């Protein structure tokens, strides 16, 4: 049997990014509003006030200077502080599918493989946007890949389990390329 190798890798990076300074400005605005809205409970000792942050603290604590995000406006809105990602119907590709397809195309190009060369799609992730349809099936459809596909959700070990499953299906002769 020939060696089983990872012949291509892909990465998806969102186009928007948020610096620590931007995040802190938004967060501190939220803190001011929260503390003002809860001033009575804070003064009575029933609630602890939120503390403002700084860009230096975030970098020192995490090493992060900026982060890539899918929805900068929603995250930086002090009223939300979370992305605003509209839910999509099951008939539409999920956001995670779009990310995966971009990364898969890059991996396929590196490996010099086409959709016709691929026998299976395994998606291994600790969190999935939705349980149905399976992301693997969405990705297969988007890329025109035949064969089978399934999702694996094994918490922090999802990637290692997915790689092992891909290797095992090739080693068993079930498929030639995953």
């Amino acid at each position: 049997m020939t060696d089983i190798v990872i012949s291509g890798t892909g990465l998806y990076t969102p186009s928007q990014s948020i610096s620590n300074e931007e995040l802190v400005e938004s967060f501190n605005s939220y803190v001011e509003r929260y503390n003002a809205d809860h001033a009575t409970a804070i003064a009575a000792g029933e609630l602890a006030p939120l503390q403002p942050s700084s860009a230096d603290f975030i970098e020192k604590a995490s090493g992060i200077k900026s982060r890539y995000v899918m929805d900068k406006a929603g995250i930086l809105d002090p009223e939300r502080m979370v992305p605003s990602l509209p839910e999509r119907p099951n008939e539409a590709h999920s956001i995670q599918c779009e990310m995966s397809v971009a990364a898969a195309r890059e991996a396929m190009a590196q490996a010099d493989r086409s959709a016709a060369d691929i026998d299976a799609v395994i998606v291994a992730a600790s969190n999935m946007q939705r349980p149905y349809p399976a992301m693997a099936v969405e990705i297969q459809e988007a890329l025109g890949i035949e064969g089978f596909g399934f999702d694996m959700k094994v918490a922090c070990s999802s990637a290692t389990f997915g790689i092992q499953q891909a290797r095992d299906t090739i080693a068993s002769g079930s498929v030639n390329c995953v």
Side-chain angles (χ1 to χ4, degrees), residues 31-53:
V31 166
E32 287 177 25
R33 187 170 305 135
Y34 176 91
N35 288 344
D37 290 347
H38 298 89
T40 303
I42 291 170
E46 300 166 359
L47 194 62
L50 295 181
Q51 299 300 313
S53 190

Side-chain angles (χ1 to χ4, degrees), residues 108-128:
M108 290 164 65
Q110 272 184 26
D112 195 27
R113 300 284 183 162
S114 71
D117 299 320
I118 300 170
D119 305 308
V121 173
I122 300 172
V123 174
S126 60
N127 289 294
M128 307 240 183

Side-chain angles (χ1 to χ4, degrees), residues 8 59 130 142 149 169:
E59 185 175 349
R130 59 185 180 199
T169 56

Side-chain angles (χ1 to χ4, degrees), residues 10-15 70 98-100 102-103 106:
L11 175 68
Y12 174 81
T13 303
S15 62
M70 293 297 292
E98 288 180 12
M99 294 174 179
S100 299
E106 185 178 324

Side-chain angles (χ1 to χ4, degrees), residues 67-98:
R67 70 271 316 128
Y68 290 100
V69 299
M70 293 297 292
D71 176 51
K72 183 174 181 169
I75 295 169
L76 293 180
D77 179 354
E79 296 293 324
R80 292 188 51 86
M81 300 291 300
V82 296
S84 177
L85 303 172
E87 194 163 329
R88 297 178 180 186
N90 287 343
E91 298 76 32
H93 291 150
S94 66
I95 290 171
Q96 285 181 310
C97 173
E98 288 180 12

Side-chain angles (χ1 to χ4, degrees), residues 93-94 97-98 100-102 105 108 115 135-145:
H93 291 150
S94 66
C97 173
E98 288 180 12
S100 299
V101 166
R105 285 191 174 124
M108 290 164 65
M135 264 196 296
V137 173
E138 289 185 273
I139 294 163
Q140 279 184 289
E141 188 273 327
L143 294 172
I145 295 172

